Amino acid sequence: MQKRVYEYMERWKMVEPGMAVLAGFSGGADSTALLELLWEYGKEHGVRVRALHVNHGIRGAEAWRDQEYCREFCGERGIPFSAVERDVPGYAKREGISLEEAGRKARYEIFEREVLEGRADRVALAHHQNDQAETMLFHLIRGTGLRGLRGMEPVRGSYIRPLLGVSREEIEGWLIKRGICWMEDSTNEELVYMRNRLRYQVVSRMEEIRPGSVRRMAGTAERLLELQDYLDGEVEELQRKGVRRREDGLAVALDPLKTLHPAMKKLLLHGCLEELMPEGSVRALHVEQILRLLEGGRGSRLTLPGNCFAVLDYEELLLKKGYGTQKQEEEVYCAPDGEYHYMGATFRLTLENRKKIGEIPVNRYTKWFDYDKIKDNVVLRTRRPGDYLELAGGGHKKLKDYLIDCKVPREERDRCILLADGSHILWVTGMRISERYKVTEQTKRVLKVQMEHPGVSGT
């Protein structure tokens, strides 16, 4: 078994010479075997190994017995050892979660701090093939996709699982052969815990019906992991081509999304939601809801966990944080021969004599207006109710309708920079100006407005 574990570690490139590896050490058979194997491997390959025991404060004297066993085990071998105490029952009560989940969260918080503070490069966990089978079954009965069905990964970030290639029976047999004892956790027999029920009522029965079931499930998990790795690469390429990062989230191009195979469409959306929503909150249901949203009308909106929303716009599916739009700046009153800054852009206003100007050129970011037709103050602002433009022939058009006709996404309309004269919009910057303010042969004074924005010049 020892040789197989070392080959498994090297196949998955779990450690390198010079690394510091922290082994989670409970004193049970699995973690005892893990620590013994890592310690011997580390001496031969220049890997620094130390043990960390987490006392959950659940089992009273038994917990202190286990902690003392771990300390003595490490002391006999010269393995660096430390113990941390956590009030897991109190944590479970505060968070409203089970003891099992609270214990898991407490351990991972401790492990992650060790890595973040530079005391460990890798954290070794003692999960084996039986644990893998239980995990796969747990995800299956809860409802899962390919990612959940593949179970635990041999390497995930800083976490490594060297024993995933061997079974519980092999581990205990190896310890007995070497004359190494271990501590039994009495809670492992309690069927109140989901994992224990799966272990004794499902997995053990599977082995009775078809010996080798655990080993074969572990093999299936590896094959599914390979498939998931391939699909992840395909999804990354799809995101690169069809997903745009925004300040408040992601924008997925609709045309390429519609042409995808349903399976790839779901994987792409699931990956985008994982990037947007709180960790662990994405469910298959959310993807299905978005697929239904895609069949709705433009402007349709879906509420997601974590104050996140999906919005169907003209050419993109917006996945964003927050319901509304970004807070806009206060409006800016402008006067000729001045320079003004608004929403990241710079505006320069100059007053010129019409007789000194020849033909008015066409320029997207520089516009000329008949200054004498402006009734109120010239203001830089965003839209508000009642805004309108004047069309050729003297008719009026609501600004909202104009933006809809131009297919400006709903989420972008409140970020359009406007040059306004009261409710009359002189210029929707980057787009059109109102017919009323156009320079004619009768114009005497011309207001020239130049807009400069990062990457855009008004000249």
Side-chain angles (χ1 to χ4, degrees):
M1 186 194 82
Q2 184 168 344
K3 181 181 178 183
R4 286 170 52 208
V5 170
Y6 291 165
E7 288 175 347
Y8 189 78
M9 290 174 60
E10 289 166 3
R11 176 157 68 92
W12 289 98
K13 298 179 175 59
M14 291 188 178
V15 295
E16 297 175 2
M19 277 188 172
V21 178
L22 175 68
F25 186 30
S26 68
D30 310 333
S31 65
T32 298
L34 173 68
L35 182 57
E36 181 80 2
L37 288 163
L38 284 176
W39 180 246
E40 293 187 11
Y41 185 89
K43 288 187 292 185
E44 293 181 13
H45 296 84
V47 175
R48 291 173 287 125
V49 177
R50 66 185 181 91
L52 175 64
H53 176 81
V54 180
N55 187 329
H56 295 119
I58 295 177
R59 295 175 290 124
E62 186 179 294
W64 291 104
R65 177 208 67 182
D66 291 353
Q67 181 172 320
E68 190 56 32
Y69 162 79
C70 293
R71 188 183 305 280
E72 291 177 1
F73 181 93
C74 293
E76 291 170 0
R77 291 161 176 77
I79 302 174
F81 172 80
S82 58
V84 179
E85 297 174 32
R86 284 292 182 271
D87 178 15
V88 170
Y91 182 31
K93 185 176 181 179
R94 288 193 303 274
E95 298 295 321
I97 56 179
S98 68
L99 280 175
E100 188 177 21
E101 178 65 10
R104 189 190 71 82
K105 285 191 172 185
R107 289 193 300 275
Y108 277 90
E109 286 174 5
I110 294 166
F111 295 151
E112 286 167 14
R113 187 175 65 248
E114 293 288 317
V115 173
L116 287 173
E117 295 180 359
R119 290 189 290 273
D121 300 306
R122 296 285 186 272
V123 176
L125 305 175
H127 299 115
H128 45 67
Q129 287 182 344
N130 297 67
D131 294 318
Q132 184 72 295
E134 292 163 14
T135 299
M136 294 171 73
L137 289 169
F138 176 76
H139 288 165
L140 184 63
I141 62 178
R142 187 184 64 177
T144 187
L146 178 60
R147 189 180 297 276
L149 194 56
R150 74 185 182 184
M152 296 175 285
E153 299 174 67
V155 179
R156 183 174 178 82
S158 301
Y159 295 97
I160 60 174
R161 295 181 171 89
L163 303 183
L164 271 187
V166 296
S167 68
R168 177 182 291 114
E169 291 73 20
E170 290 178 286
I171 290 170
E172 293 180 357
W174 183 80
L175 289 172
I176 292 170
K177 187 176 180 179
R178 292 175 67 103
I180 300 174
C181 63
W182 64 88
M183 294 291 103
E184 291 287 356
D185 183 344
S186 61
T187 62
N188 286 338
E189 306 294 326
E190 297 177 6
L191 297 183
V192 66
Y193 298 111
M194 173 64 77
R195 275 200 175 272
N196 291 348
R197 296 204 296 274
L198 287 171
R199 180 177 306 162
Y200 295 113
Q201 298 178 343
V202 182
V203 176
S204 62
R205 298 291 175 84
M206 287 168 50
E207 282 292 324
E208 291 174 8
I209 296 170
R210 185 70 184 272
S213 294
V214 165
R215 173 176 51 79
R216 286 188 290 272
M217 287 183 70
T220 298
E222 282 204 31
R223 290 190 292 275
L224 291 176
L225 177 59
E226 290 177 350
L227 177 59
Q228 184 68 60
D229 284 344
Y230 168 76
L231 292 174
D232 285 345
E234 293 296 298
V235 169
E236 286 179 10
E237 182 64 16
L238 291 172
Q239 287 185 331
R240 187 183 68 80
K241 292 180 178 179
V243 178
R244 180 171 60 89
R245 264 69 186 176
R246 296 159 39 106
E247 187 174 338
D248 59 352
L250 305 170
V252 185
L254 288 176
D255 285 344
L257 181 64
K258 291 175 181 177
T259 63
L260 290 178
H261 185 281
M264 294 307 299
K265 190 182 298 185
K266 291 175 182 178
L267 287 173
L268 175 61
L269 292 173
H270 195 282
C272 290
L273 290 179
E274 283 188 328
E275 188 172 331
L276 177 77
M277 291 164 55
E279 184 177 358
S281 64
V282 181
R283 299 287 181 268
L285 169 65
H286 302 137
V287 175
E288 295 294 340
Q289 288 175 330
I290 290 177
L291 291 175
R292 289 196 293 272
L293 178 73
L294 294 175
E295 300 172 0
R298 297 299 182 262
S300 300
R301 183 182 294 256
L302 170 68
T303 302
L304 297 165
N307 192 35
C308 297
F309 297 86
V311 181
L312 186 62
D313 260 319
Y314 292 101
E315 297 178 354
E316 294 177 314
L317 169 70
L318 305 179
L319 302 173
K320 59 192 289 291
K321 286 187 177 293
Y323 182 87
T325 57
Q326 298 175 346
K327 183 180 183 300
Q328 307 296 353
E329 299 178 33
E330 297 294 330
E331 59 187 30
V332 174
Y333 287 80
C334 305
D337 301 317
E339 180 175 296
Y340 304 91
H341 303 279
Y342 189 71
M343 293 178 66
T346 299
F347 292 84
R348 294 183 180 88
L349 281 69
T350 55
L351 196 59
E352 302 177 353
N353 189 319
R354 175 68 178 96
K355 294 180 180 180
K356 295 181 180 180
I357 301 175
E359 185 178 350
I360 301 296
V362 176
N363 188 302
R364 184 176 182 183
Y365 294 103
T366 299
K367 298 297 179 183
W368 291 260
F369 304 91
D370 188 328
Y371 185 68
D372 292 317
K373 291 181 179 177
I374 297 173
K375 295 181 178 180
D376 297 320
N377 295 304
V378 176
V379 178
L380 283 167
R381 61 173 175 82
T382 54
R383 68 173 182 155
R384 65 191 186 194
D387 285 344
Y388 68 94
L389 293 148
E390 186 173 299
L391 307 178
H396 289 182
K397 191 178 190 70
K398 291 182 180 179
L399 175 65
K400 176 183 177 181
D401 293 338
Y402 168 71
L403 295 175
I404 290 174
D405 290 345
C406 293
K407 295 187 176 181
V408 176
R410 178 180 177 180
E411 304 301 306
E412 301 292 337
R413 294 173 205 161
D414 285 335
R415 289 196 284 271
C416 288
I417 302 176
L418 308 174
L419 190 70
D421 175 17
S423 294
H424 196 151
I425 304 304
L426 284 78
W427 181 24
V428 182
T429 59
M431 300 174 71
R432 69 165 296 165
I433 69 172
S434 176
E435 288 289 328
R436 174 169 179 74
Y437 299 99
K438 282 188 174 181
V439 175
T440 66
E441 292 298 326
Q442 288 73 42
T443 300
K444 296 180 179 179
R445 293 186 296 174
V446 175
L447 178 66
K448 179 182 178 182
V449 183
Q450 296 170 279
M451 175 184 180
E452 292 185 1
H453 200 277
V456 168
S457 174
T459 58

